[in-house]
């Protein structure tokens, strides 16, 4: 299959592709070769382990199982270029299915287990998927009724494969046990999409992100190198494995590339995570800030706290400097900030960077050929060190969402730079500080207020643990400011809170009109604060 034959995929322009090849970033390896190479180099090493169960597979066993799964998928008629929705929870079977799909030449669509019929239906429609792989149940949710609804609405969805009790669907146990020796591994064009990630999606439904073999192998292997990952490391997949961060930054794929073991965790609570870390001697893991903060707090009461972690990656949302300090003090001095996006660009603080840099910045780009532009409201280059929107292109950043022409016209500039929507400030040494989102503003009575600024002030209150500022519709002001907060100390009233904000010098128009107490802020499937959900809850309540 050549890269131009997959409709809806925007390839890298030939001149840049040639440059990335000659610079050695793109090697022509396919994603599934990471596993076959690991099986050759470290045949008897443990590749993957289920933290919560008995299953553990050597690289050889994982490799063989992927081949059998590929044969089973091919026997169902799944073939080169077919899109398949993959929605399995963390576990060895996730790895078997992922590599099985890659070896069958299929293009997995990496759904998170928290996605439901609305998102899955959207992914099925945009990707024109022919199959869906799900668990029977996970975390109290039965995926089969959702699958039934999806097959009715999407006639192209011909196969539903279920890990567990399949009811009327195809059992995964049968697919993955196929011994059809005639199946030959597919040999995809390395510049074609290997898989489709889903976007972080702060507005509307998530978009599909085509990552090529060339760019994603680079993403995983260069990240592994930056993190000095070796075959002595044990990586804990605590976030949902279908997300770019635990999948390839360096994550599962980076671990496989260097012969490190991956331990899959289904429940990232401190209790279960700390037990898994101790039991398996975990050295590296990746968390979102909310989870990292919870783990840090839990060191106060959990009897068994982590001692083996050498690298704790935190990213996905802004990590505050105070929280960074506490994480270093309680969990490991080896904290790393990661600012990444499924669309591509990854920024990392480096192992060995001074604590000041690690606490106060979100790192610098992975690759010397990542091209970053920071622009002001008018789209002009921002002054050195001034806040602006980050635009990026480079060897592992997409050139377009999959099958989304209208979105692409908005999200990419004429030079092919991806408009991240993130507001950043660049320091002289090239390190970035993420300051907010371009669209995360509240238009209150003619004034535009940055939600991030209000949140910073709210969090400064001694009684407030976490906070979000969201816009609520208002007949007079257009939008009013609602502060949704989780109290960790004695609750305060709106007027007490506003007295506090006044003392901090916050302008009258930037102070909350409404205060709502929440027991916890709602989160997205990967665990980021979901402001859209907060606004919906408040608007309907
Ligand atoms: C990661 O990827 P996505 O695609 O779920 O979300 C990307 C967005 C970024 O555009 C930015 O708005 C936000 O999440 N973000 C951060 C951040 N890391 C991501 N905002 C502030 N500080 C950070 N450190 O979230 C992702 C992908 C790969 C590695 C790590 C995270």
């Amino acid at each position: 299959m050549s890269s131009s034959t997959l409709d809806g995929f925007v390839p890298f322009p030939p001149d840049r592709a040639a440059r990335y090849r000659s610079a050695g970033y793109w090697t022509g390896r396919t994603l599934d070769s990471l596993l076959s190479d690991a099986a050759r180099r470290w045949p008897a090493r443990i590749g993957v382990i289920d933290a919560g169960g008995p299953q553990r597979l050597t690289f050889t066993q994982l490799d063989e199982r992927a081949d059998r799964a590929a044969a089973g998928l091919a026997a169902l008629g799944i073939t080169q270029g077919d899109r398949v929705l993959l929605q399995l929870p963390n576990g060895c079977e996730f790895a078997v299915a992922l590599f099985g799909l890659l070896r069958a030449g299929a293009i997995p669509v990496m759904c998170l287990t928290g996605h439901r019929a609305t998102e899955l239906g959207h992914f099925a429609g945009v990707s024109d998927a022919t199959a869906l792989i799900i668990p029977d149940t996970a975390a109290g949710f039965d995926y089969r009724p959702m699958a039934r609804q999806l097959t009715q609405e999407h006639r192209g969805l011909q196969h539903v494969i279920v890990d567990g009790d399949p009811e009327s669907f195809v059992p995964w146990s049968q697919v993955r046990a196929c011994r059809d020796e005639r199946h030959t591994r597919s040999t995809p064009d390395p510049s074609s999409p290997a898989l489709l990630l889903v976007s972080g999606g702060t507005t509307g439904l998530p978009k599909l992100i085509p990552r090529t073999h060339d760019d994603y192998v680079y993403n995983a292997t260069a990240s592994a190198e930056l993190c000095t990952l070796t075959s002595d490391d044990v990586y804990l997949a605590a976030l949902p494995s279908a997300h770019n961060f635990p999948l390839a930054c360096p994550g599962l794929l980076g671990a496989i590339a260097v012969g490190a073991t991956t331990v899959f965790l289904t429940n990232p609570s401190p209790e279960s995570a700390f037990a898994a870390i101790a039991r398996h001697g975990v050295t590296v893991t990746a968390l979102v800030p909310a989870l990292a903060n919870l783990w840090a707090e839990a060191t106060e009461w959990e009897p068994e706290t982590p001692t083996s972690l050498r690298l704790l990656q935190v990213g996905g949302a802004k990590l505050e400097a105070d929280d960074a300090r506490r994480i270093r003090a309680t969990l490991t001095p080896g904290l790393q900030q990661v600012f990444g996006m499924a669309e591509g660009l990854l920024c990392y603080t480096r192992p060995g960077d001074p604590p000041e840099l690690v606490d106060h910045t979100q790192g610098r780009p992975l690759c010397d050929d990542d091209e970053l532009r920071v622009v002001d409201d008018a789209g002009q280059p921002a002054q050195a060190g001034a806040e602006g929107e980050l635009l990026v292109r480079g060897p592992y950043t997409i050139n377009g969402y999959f099958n989304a022409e209208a979105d692409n016209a908005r999200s990419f500039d004429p030079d092919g730079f991806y408009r991240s929507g993130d507001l950043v400030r660049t320091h002289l040494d090239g390190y970035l500080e993420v300051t907010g989102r371009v669209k995360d503003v509240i238009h209150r009575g003619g004034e535009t207020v940055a939600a991030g600024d209000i949140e910073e002030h709210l969090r400064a209150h001694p009684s407030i643990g976490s906070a979000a500022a969201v816009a609520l519709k208002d007949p007079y002001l257009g939008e009013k400011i609602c502060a949704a907060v989780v109290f960790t100390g004695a609750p305060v009233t709106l007027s007490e809170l506003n007295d506090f904000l006044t003392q901090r010098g916050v302008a009258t128009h930037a102070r909350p009109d409404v205060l709502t107490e929440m027991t916890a802020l709602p989160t997205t499937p990967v665990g980021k604060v979901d402001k859209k959900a907060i606004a919906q809850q408040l608007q309907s309540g």
Side-chain angles (χ1 to χ4, degrees):
M1 182 177 67
S2 93
S3 50
S4 56
T5 55
L6 184 65
D7 281 347
F9 167 59
V10 186
F12 282 84
D15 57 327
R16 282 175 45 220
R19 188 145 59 85
Y20 300 149
R21 268 185 214 107
S22 69
Y25 305 133
W26 294 1
T27 57
R29 289 174 79 183
T30 59
L31 206 50
D32 87 277
S33 76
L34 294 178
L35 176 58
S36 28
D37 289 351
R40 218 187 41 248
R41 293 174 66 186
W42 305 280
R45 229 175 242 278
I46 300 296
V48 286
I49 302 181
D50 283 342
Q55 178 145 252
R56 53 170 63 209
L57 302 173
T58 63
F59 284 113
T60 303
Q61 289 168 325
L62 178 57
D63 189 58
E64 286 168 1
R65 292 202 189 193
D67 273 339
R68 273 186 235 152
L73 292 160
L76 283 178
I78 291 167
T79 164
Q80 183 101 334
D82 280 359
R83 270 79 69 198
V84 176
L85 306 177
L86 175 60
Q87 193 184 30
L88 289 180
N90 286 6
C92 296
E93 290 310 312
F94 169 87
V96 173
L98 172 62
F99 282 97
L101 287 166
L102 292 171
R103 287 195 178 163
I107 301 177
V109 182
M110 308 302 291
C111 311
L112 304 182
T113 43
H115 287 132
R116 293 293 176 258
T118 314
E119 289 92 7
L120 269 282
H122 173 69
F123 301 152
V126 177
S127 70
D128 209 5
T130 57
L132 164 66
I133 307 181
I134 48 168
D136 50 1
T137 63
F141 181 75
D142 189 339
Y143 288 76
R144 294 161 298 188
M146 177 183 81
R148 231 165 272 126
Q149 181 192 335
L150 288 168
T151 52
Q152 276 157 20
E153 291 165 3
H154 297 272
R155 292 294 165 190
L157 212 51
Q158 295 161 35
H159 314 282
V160 174
I161 303 165
V162 181
D163 187 16
D165 173 4
E167 294 181 342
S168 57
F169 298 126
V170 180
W172 168 246
S173 57
Q174 173 195 313
V175 175
R176 67 144 196 236
C178 184
R179 288 186 182 273
D180 186 347
E181 302 294 335
R182 288 164 305 174
H183 174 73
T184 49
R185 283 186 195 171
S186 88
T187 46
D189 176 343
S191 65
S192 71
L195 43 74
L196 299 174
L197 297 175
V198 308
S199 69
T202 45
T203 46
L205 284 162
K207 296 187 262 290
L208 295 183
I209 294 170
R211 301 295 301 264
T212 66
H213 294 272
D214 273 328
D215 92 66
Y216 217 45
V217 167
Y218 173 77
N219 191 112
T221 54
S223 295
E225 195 181 327
L226 185 148
C227 296
T228 64
L229 207 67
T230 71
S231 59
D232 293 333
D233 277 306
V234 177
Y235 177 80
L236 181 73
L239 296 175
S241 296
H243 188 274
N244 188 33
F245 193 8
L247 184 61
C249 306
L252 169 68
L253 296 176
I256 292 176
V258 302
T261 302
T262 297
V263 178
F264 287 105
L265 191 67
T266 48
N267 169 9
S269 71
E271 190 186 6
S272 109
F274 292 180
I277 291 169
R279 173 146 180 243
H280 300 287
V282 170
T283 57
V284 181
T285 191
L287 300 176
V288 290
L291 206 46
N293 289 336
L294 181 66
W295 285 20
E297 259 173 59
T299 58
E300 282 174 25
W301 64 77
E302 286 297 333
E304 191 171 42
T305 60
T307 54
S308 54
L309 280 179
R310 72 159 180 90
L311 180 69
L312 174 56
Q313 308 180 278
V314 180
K318 179 72 178 270
L319 178 67
E320 302 301 327
D322 287 348
D323 294 337
R325 267 192 292 275
R326 188 171 50 158
I327 289 165
R328 277 194 294 103
T330 54
L331 292 167
T332 169
L335 169 67
Q336 175 186 57
Q337 289 220 38
V338 186
F339 164 46
M341 52 198 75
E343 288 82 356
L345 177 70
L346 300 172
C347 295
Y348 293 101
T349 58
R350 289 357 191 213
D353 273 349
E356 266 302 294
L357 212 51
V358 174
D359 291 349
H360 291 278
T361 80
Q362 280 65 54
R364 64 181 165 88
L366 169 64
C367 181
D368 288 341
D369 277 319
D370 282 321
E371 300 172 74
L372 275 61
R373 285 184 185 162
V374 180
V375 302
D376 63 19
D377 290 348
Q380 297 304 311
Q383 300 277 320
E387 183 187 76
E389 183 186 4
L390 174 68
L391 275 61
V392 59
R393 67 178 192 190
Y396 57 97
T397 295
I398 55 163
N399 300 279
Y401 290 106
F402 186 68
N403 226 348
E405 245 173 272
D407 285 324
N408 288 341
R410 275 192 299 275
S411 303
F412 295 83
D413 87 353
D415 298 328
F417 280 74
Y418 166 62
R419 301 181 205 272
S420 72
D422 291 317
L423 291 171
V424 303
R425 216 187 282 288
T426 315
H427 294 222
L428 285 176
D429 49 13
Y431 281 69
L432 299 186
E433 203 186 312
V434 182
T435 52
R437 295 278 303 164
V438 172
K439 291 197 178 134
D440 197 7
V441 288
I442 303 174
H443 299 282
R444 184 184 185 281
E447 307 274 359
T448 303
V449 190
D453 290 348
I454 308 175
E455 287 158 4
E456 208 179 313
H457 288 296
L458 292 171
R459 268 193 302 264
H461 192 286
S463 287
I464 293 177
S466 47
V470 297
L472 289 184
K473 287 203 192 77
D474 184 83
Y476 305 106
L477 295 165
E479 288 178 349
K480 61 185 175 187
I481 302 170
C482 175
V485 304
V486 178
F487 288 117
T488 45
V492 292
T493 63
L494 177 63
S495 76
E496 285 163 349
L497 178 64
N498 279 334
D499 287 346
F500 169 80
L501 295 176
T502 306
Q503 275 167 28
R504 286 180 64 86
V506 178
T508 321
H509 71 262
R511 296 184 330 199
D513 303 286
V514 182
L515 173 65
T516 304
E517 178 180 358
M518 291 188 150
T519 45
L521 300 181
T523 55
T524 67
V526 76
K528 306 184 193 191
V529 171
D530 188 346
K531 294 178 73 171
K532 208 171 48 176
I534 299 176
Q536 272 164 5
Q537 264 182 38
L538 298 179
Q539 204 80 55
S540 62

